[in-house]
Amino acid sequence: MHRALIRQLFPDAPIIHCHRHPFDTCLSIYFKKFNDNHIYARDLSEIARFYKKYREIMDLWEDTSAGIFSLRYEDLVGDQERISRAIISHIGLEWDNECLRYYDSSRLIMTPSYTQANAPVYADSIYRWKNYDGHLQPLIDVLGSPEQYE
């Protein structure tokens, strides 16, 4: 949503867009206990509508010469080193093997994903939506069949 502002403030800054299966994304938001600033996160239909708008915006930006490096989360998990090397190359840095050991850092993480950011890459969240097959109708109504995104 803030790509234009980012480009104004940091015209040469590389932008990386990591996306995953929409149903996994929506369920991840739904299961996280967000504060009242994210009231939409309590309703699967609302989350799906937000997701759909987000994808429309990203599709628009990715179709331009915006220089956005787009990658699938599932690809990163499946081949962490290859994708990580591509990211590092995109941002113009030299490769360092420590990139694969990001979780060994002592930095403070203040996001809802702090647990995951302090752990090695894992595949448990890929296609997690399949565990909730009988409860996905609100997502299907807005986003369509989950299989179309595989």
Side-chain angles (χ1 to χ4, degrees):
M1 290 185 339
H2 304 292
R3 186 243 164 242
L5 176 61
I6 291 168
R7 274 291 178 247
Q8 271 191 322
L9 295 173
F10 309 103
D12 299 322
I15 297 174
I16 299 168
H17 174 226
C18 182
H19 54 94
R20 63 194 281 210
H21 192 286
F23 282 57
D24 282 337
T25 300
C26 291
L27 285 175
S28 179
I29 292 168
Y30 184 73
F31 290 139
K32 202 51 124 173
K33 302 245 185 292
F34 285 103
N35 64 30
D36 288 343
N37 293 330
H38 302 280
I39 197 81
Y40 68 90
R42 298 179 186 154
D43 180 86
L44 285 175
S45 294
E46 280 297 302
I47 295 169
R49 282 191 279 284
F50 267 74
Y51 183 90
K52 191 171 184 177
K53 288 296 180 190
Y54 140 75
R55 273 313 318 183
E56 288 171 6
I57 291 169
M58 288 312 302
D59 289 346
L60 175 79
W61 288 120
E62 289 173 348
D63 284 345
T64 68
S65 59
I68 295 174
F69 182 90
S70 187
L71 66 114
R72 290 180 60 240
Y73 171 81
E74 295 84 358
D75 294 339
L76 175 64
V77 171
D79 193 350
Q80 181 190 0
E81 183 171 346
R82 182 179 65 79
I83 300 297
S84 296
R85 283 180 179 273
I87 292 168
I88 295 302
S89 175
H90 174 75
I91 63 175
L93 296 176
E94 294 293 320
W95 176 253
D96 184 326
N97 285 330
E98 290 300 306
C99 292
L100 299 176
R101 300 188 56 77
Y102 61 89
Y103 51 86
D104 280 340
S105 173
S106 60
R107 74 202 179 287
L108 180 62
I109 298 171
M110 304 278 297
T111 67
S113 60
Y114 61 88
T115 303
Q116 295 92 332
N118 284 310
V121 170
Y122 59 91
D124 298 358
S125 296
I126 295 178
Y127 302 124
R128 183 176 173 207
W129 63 266
K130 292 181 180 183
N131 297 323
Y132 302 94
D133 200 28
H135 307 279
L136 301 176
Q137 198 58 51
L139 296 177
I140 294 168
D141 290 346
V142 177
L143 300 173
S145 167
E147 288 82 10
Q148 71 180 316
Y149 300 101
E150 291 182 29

